[in-house]
Amino acid sequence: MNTIAQSRAVRLNRVLVNTYQLLSATLIFSGLMAYLSMYLQLPHFGLLITLGGYLGLLYLTNKLKNSAGGILAVFALTGFMGLTLGPMLSSYISAFSNGAELISMAMAGTGLIFLTLSFYVITSGKDFSFMRGMLMVGLVVVVLALIANYFMQIPVLSLTISAVIILLMSGFILFETSNIIHGGETNYIMATVSLFVSIFNIFVHLLSILGVFSGDD
């Protein structure tokens, strides 16, 4: 029994290590793609291209998750997300005199949120699987709110949605990290995608909130 438990612990630890290694690599690659997008001055991709590209590459990643091709698919997905981020970052730099500072603050805040939440889950060993239902309901509500605000363009609603998304994505980080260490997620490729998407959304919406309160239009 002891040997079985030790073997399971080693396997789960390997999934966690592989996830963090791949996550680090994809974050760097996505950042490089965002810089390339800014350098080339690419225009905003638009909702349909962004959503279509994301869903298509997500489907491909899920399809190849048990093969070496899954790693290439992850880099394709995160690289594409980085490219879509570039135009937004360029707009912040051009629209705000402290745009580069706002971006740095959003990056630091995102890193702090992720590291704090991950450290808490890993050290406490707490099981956050009970959050699954709440997170899925919250995700549906946020998507509906985003669609509604896409047409209404209400500033206060945008700010509220950004704050809720940050909280929701923080919940997903807790859930996914817990899922890994408790054996609910054994595929490090899909675990990486889940954590990357959460980090990406926290950064985007934290930057949006910082922009609103910067007082510099």
Side-chain angles (χ1 to χ4, degrees):
M1 285 295 289
N2 232 3
T3 305
I4 295 174
Q6 288 176 350
S7 176
R8 182 175 181 273
V10 169
R11 187 171 66 254
L12 295 178
N13 183 61
R14 188 182 301 121
V15 173
L16 187 65
V17 170
N18 288 343
T19 298
Y20 281 5
Q21 287 178 341
L22 184 57
L23 179 63
S24 299
T26 53
L27 286 170
I28 293 171
F29 182 67
S30 183
L32 291 174
M33 290 299 100
Y35 177 79
L36 178 63
S37 180
M38 294 170 67
Y39 179 77
L40 297 175
Q41 298 182 344
L42 296 180
H44 287 278
F45 284 43
L47 180 63
L48 291 179
I49 293 177
T50 301
L51 195 57
Y54 169 73
L55 292 176
L57 289 169
L58 182 62
Y59 173 79
L60 180 64
T61 303
N62 187 59
K63 193 80 172 174
L64 301 174
K65 65 183 179 182
N66 294 315
S67 67
I71 296 178
L72 295 177
V74 169
F75 278 99
L77 173 61
T78 55
F80 173 76
M81 292 175 73
L83 287 175
T84 64
L85 188 61
M88 188 190 79
L89 299 181
S90 295
S91 69
Y92 270 82
I93 290 175
S94 60
F96 298 91
S97 60
N98 61 340
E101 183 182 344
L102 292 176
I103 293 171
S104 297
M105 289 173 63
M107 288 178 63
T110 302
L112 182 61
I113 291 170
F114 173 72
L115 291 174
T116 301
L117 295 175
S118 298
F119 180 78
Y120 173 71
V121 177
I122 293 171
T123 55
S124 70
K126 188 173 181 180
D127 187 354
F128 285 92
S129 60
F130 67 90
M131 296 178 66
R132 182 191 296 271
M134 292 183 292
L135 291 172
M136 294 312 298
V137 171
L139 187 60
V140 171
V141 172
V142 163
V143 169
L144 292 176
L146 282 169
I147 294 172
N149 202 46
Y150 179 78
F151 297 102
M152 294 187 293
Q153 294 295 312
I154 302 174
V156 175
L157 181 57
S158 296
L159 186 62
T160 302
I161 291 172
S162 289
V164 171
I165 287 176
I166 291 173
L167 290 173
L168 186 65
M169 292 301 114
S170 297
F172 272 110
I173 290 173
L174 290 172
F175 172 78
E176 188 60 40
T177 307
S178 168
N179 210 22
I180 295 169
I181 65 176
H182 289 285
E185 177 60 84
T186 58
N187 188 289
Y188 71 94
I189 289 178
M190 296 313 298
T192 297
V193 171
S194 177
L195 291 174
F196 181 93
V197 170
S198 295
I199 292 170
F200 183 91
N201 279 295
I202 288 174
F203 171 74
V204 168
H205 291 280
L206 185 55
L207 180 59
S208 177
I209 291 175
L210 290 173
V212 170
F213 288 106
S214 70
D216 183 32
D217 303 307

